[in-house]
Amino acid sequence: MGQDTIEQLDLSLPWLDTTTKEYLINHHPNLPVNFLYKATREGGCSLLPFLSSIQWVNIYWQKMRLNKTAILLYSAFYDPNPGGKPCVRLLGVTRSTKPPAVWCHLWFSTQQPPVVTRITIIDHLDYQGLSSDRQMPFMFTCPLPSQVAHLQPAAVSLVHQPCQPATTLLQVVGAKERENSAYLNGLKPANPATAVKGWVPAVCGPALYYYHEDFSKRMVEWLEILRAEGIGKVFLYVTDVHPNLEKVLKYYEDDGFLHLTGYSYPPPYINEPSLRRLWTLVEQYKMFAQENIYFTDCLLRHMHQYRFIAHYDPDEIPILPNHHNYTHFLEHMLTRDAEKKLKPAGYKLQWNYFYNDLNSSSQGVKEVPEYLWALRHTLTPTQPLKPTPGTFKSLFDMDVVRAIYSHSTLLCKHGGKCNPDVHIVPPSLAYIGHFKFTCGNKCSAANSTKEVLFLHKYKKQVTTAVTNVLKKLELI
């Protein structure tokens, strides 16, 4: 069976100009393909699960079962956890309101048996309460034993007995040190722990299910505005999208500004795109619970590449009234916090609606091409939105944060709630333009709206870039 597996992994896929092995590496984000390939070629430990013994569910999920409890795992991450013990964190779901404290097989070598360690912490990753009527998101934390604390495992399995053969095997993503992508011009400061200048943030978006909506033009504008604002990279998850949007995503992935990760929903949730769309409308509370898996996955997957990572949706655009880019904004916030000897978990930016049914009459806006949605919709209510927990989106400090939901933190590095928590940013410094709703009659009264043109400082750069991309992709 080993030679057959090698032959299949080496099999050429000429229409994709790749091999099966390379395709799996690029499209199966949590499978340790190279590790399994080496084990198959050279012979591996008998406890190591091979491709045929992993219990796959809905493409990306792996299942382990203990009596009546099933745990579905999606991903695993190495956390060097400065100041404490390094660990591996696994993300998964279960209907059990009290998941069992099972064991981890930490794989450092294909030839040697795994290092066995017990899960010490199980965190429920949801602001909604525990309920067995849905798949609940959890983080399982395996500390690295002292004898291997200086090493980084290549893969991890979850088992309910220390010597039991595993049905799961996840690639352990991460690194011991932060990469140069986190710093302006790739220049690492002498002491990153105290640096207030030169940080480049990234953005984690949602799992796109725009199967029924051609969001391609707006996606191009969103990405180019983020680029103009100094965002280093954007990370998105993909289920099913419109063909035009698929072209856009491929273009920006090839360009290097975008990274895509494949995602599916765990059972019993449907992954047929039309039925899933209905499910997201009818049972939103179940969808919200699942969001926390890919929101948190994104931060953990890329925390070794960027220190500051925001979560924004494609209809949300950060607006910086007093700073040209995010690096300057962060310098302002970090300098202020250093003077106060603070290190918050991140920064909350309040929503401000820019309504779809309000069109500016100013000549500068009229000159903007119709396919630049945000640059054309510049009218916003005079009265600011009343702040609630759900009207903020956050930029997280990955020196501190370890799990999030759509608007704020769920878990910090040392366990439990974040203290200090995410700080609210005054709207005069930064806020989120939410380009989503219609205003209707409430915006018909005199002086009910005002024009905001802060995004127009990027107008020339964004207009040129968006126009070039849309023409190249034959979308205009």
Side-chain angles (χ1 to χ4, degrees):
M1 186 171 69
Q3 186 57 39
D4 290 343
T5 301
I6 291 292
E7 290 176 358
Q8 289 302 312
L9 290 174
D10 285 337
L11 186 67
S12 175
L13 305 173
W15 66 95
L16 297 174
D17 191 28
T18 188
T19 66
T20 302
K21 175 173 173 266
E22 291 165 344
Y23 181 84
L24 286 172
I25 290 171
N26 292 327
H27 292 86
H28 214 298
N30 305 309
L31 177 65
V33 179
N34 284 326
F35 191 77
L36 284 169
Y37 187 84
K38 182 180 179 182
T40 305
R41 181 178 289 280
E42 300 176 359
C45 173
S46 61
L47 284 175
L48 179 66
F50 285 85
L51 285 170
S52 58
S53 56
I54 295 173
Q55 288 196 14
W56 295 103
V57 181
N58 284 6
I59 304 176
Y60 300 113
W61 297 82
Q62 301 179 25
K63 179 166 69 173
M64 72 152 290
R65 180 175 289 279
L66 173 58
N67 299 325
K68 294 183 179 181
T69 298
I71 299 175
L72 303 177
L73 298 174
Y74 178 69
S75 54
F77 305 96
Y78 174 74
D79 189 348
N81 198 16
K85 290 184 177 180
C87 63
V88 171
R89 302 183 188 271
L90 298 91
L91 295 178
V93 298
T94 179
R95 286 182 177 273
S96 172
T97 57
K98 192 176 181 180
V102 290
W103 298 78
C104 287
H105 283 178
L106 301 173
W107 293 97
F108 297 89
S109 166
T110 60
Q111 306 297 306
Q112 301 295 323
V115 174
V116 181
T117 181
R118 187 121 195 207
I119 286 175
T120 55
I121 304 172
I122 302 175
D123 292 292
H124 178 225
L125 303 184
D126 201 357
Y127 59 90
Q128 303 175 107
L130 293 163
S131 175
S132 59
D133 75 336
R134 59 180 177 268
Q135 292 282 22
M136 293 170 287
F138 285 91
M139 178 187 290
F140 303 87
T141 299
C142 305
L144 268 64
S146 56
Q147 70 269 25
V148 293
H150 61 295
L151 301 174
Q152 180 177 333
V156 61
S157 301
L158 208 61
V159 294
H160 62 79
Q161 293 294 335
C163 295
Q164 180 190 35
T167 59
T168 61
L169 186 70
L170 296 168
Q171 179 166 258
V172 176
V173 178
K176 288 179 175 292
E177 295 184 357
R178 190 164 279 128
E179 296 176 4
N180 289 343
S181 51
Y183 314 107
L184 188 64
N185 301 320
L187 300 176
K188 186 176 181 178
N191 187 354
T194 59
V196 297
K197 294 183 178 181
W199 293 102
V200 176
V203 167
C204 279
L208 301 176
Y209 52 92
Y210 295 172
Y211 183 73
H212 302 81
E213 181 181 2
D214 183 359
F215 201 80
S216 56
K217 294 176 184 177
R218 290 188 62 179
M219 179 64 72
V220 174
E221 183 191 28
W222 184 65
L223 291 170
E224 291 298 346
I225 291 176
L226 293 180
R227 196 203 299 263
E229 291 182 327
I231 296 298
K233 197 153 189 171
V234 177
F235 303 102
L236 293 173
Y237 289 66
V238 179
T239 55
D240 300 276
V241 296
H242 189 281
N244 286 342
L245 184 52
E246 205 168 71
K247 289 200 294 186
V248 168
L249 298 178
K250 184 180 186 309
Y251 173 86
Y252 281 98
E253 189 171 39
D254 292 343
D255 172 70
F257 186 60
L258 177 65
H259 181 274
L260 300 174
T261 301
Y263 191 77
S264 64
Y265 289 87
Y269 307 132
I270 189 69
N271 281 284
E272 196 285 322
S274 294
L275 294 176
R276 182 178 56 231
R277 182 180 174 87
L278 180 63
W279 170 69
T280 63
L281 296 172
V282 173
E283 296 189 303
Q284 281 196 338
Y285 71 103
K286 293 182 179 180
M287 182 194 71
F288 291 156
Q290 296 310 303
E291 285 182 339
N292 300 341
I293 290 290
Y294 53 78
F295 291 159
T296 297
D297 180 277
C298 189
L299 266 64
L300 297 181
R301 188 176 298 274
H302 303 292
M303 67 180 178
H304 64 290
Q305 298 167 319
Y306 293 91
R307 174 181 167 187
F308 292 97
I309 305 178
H311 166 60
Y312 303 142
D313 292 325
D315 57 9
E316 298 169 335
I317 297 176
I319 294 176
L320 310 171
N322 297 315
H323 299 92
H324 187 72
N325 59 47
Y326 248 103
T327 298
H328 295 157
F329 164 69
L330 275 171
E331 181 181 337
H332 178 103
M333 301 304 296
L334 292 169
T335 300
R336 183 203 68 172
D337 291 342
E339 291 171 353
K340 297 179 180 180
K341 297 183 178 179
L342 297 173
K343 189 170 183 178
Y347 303 104
K348 282 184 179 179
L349 279 62
Q350 186 176 342
W351 273 347
N352 195 12
Y353 291 146
F354 287 78
Y355 290 111
N356 292 343
D357 58 339
L358 300 183
N359 295 306
S360 170
S361 59
S362 70
Q363 187 60 34
V365 174
K366 285 184 176 180
E367 293 170 354
V368 174
E370 55 83 22
Y371 47 79
L372 290 167
W373 189 265
L375 293 186
R376 287 181 63 87
H377 288 79
T378 57
L379 295 178
T380 186
T382 305
Q383 293 297 319
L385 191 66
K386 183 179 179 181
T388 68
T391 60
F392 290 90
K393 298 304 281 284
S394 298
L395 172 68
F396 302 101
D397 185 347
M398 295 311 297
D399 279 356
V400 181
V401 177
R402 289 299 180 267
I404 65 167
Y405 67 102
S406 182
H407 299 282
S408 193
T409 60
L410 290 169
L411 184 70
C412 274
K413 181 174 65 177
H414 298 298
K417 293 184 178 181
C418 298
N419 186 23
D421 204 344
V422 182
H423 285 188
I424 295 175
V425 177
S428 60
L429 287 178
Y431 60 92
I432 296 293
H434 197 12
F435 295 80
K436 184 175 182 179
F437 300 111
T438 57
C439 192
N441 292 333
K442 62 184 176 182
C443 287
S444 61
N447 301 319
S448 61
T449 64
K450 61 182 179 181
E451 185 155 53
V452 175
L453 294 171
F454 292 126
L455 288 179
H456 275 233
K457 59 189 169 186
Y458 313 113
K459 182 170 72 170
K460 183 177 180 180
Q461 175 184 346
V462 170
T463 300
T464 301
V466 172
T467 302
N468 289 341
V469 172
L470 293 180
K471 286 182 176 178
K472 188 175 294 187
L473 298 178
E474 300 181 342
L475 295 175
I476 56 173

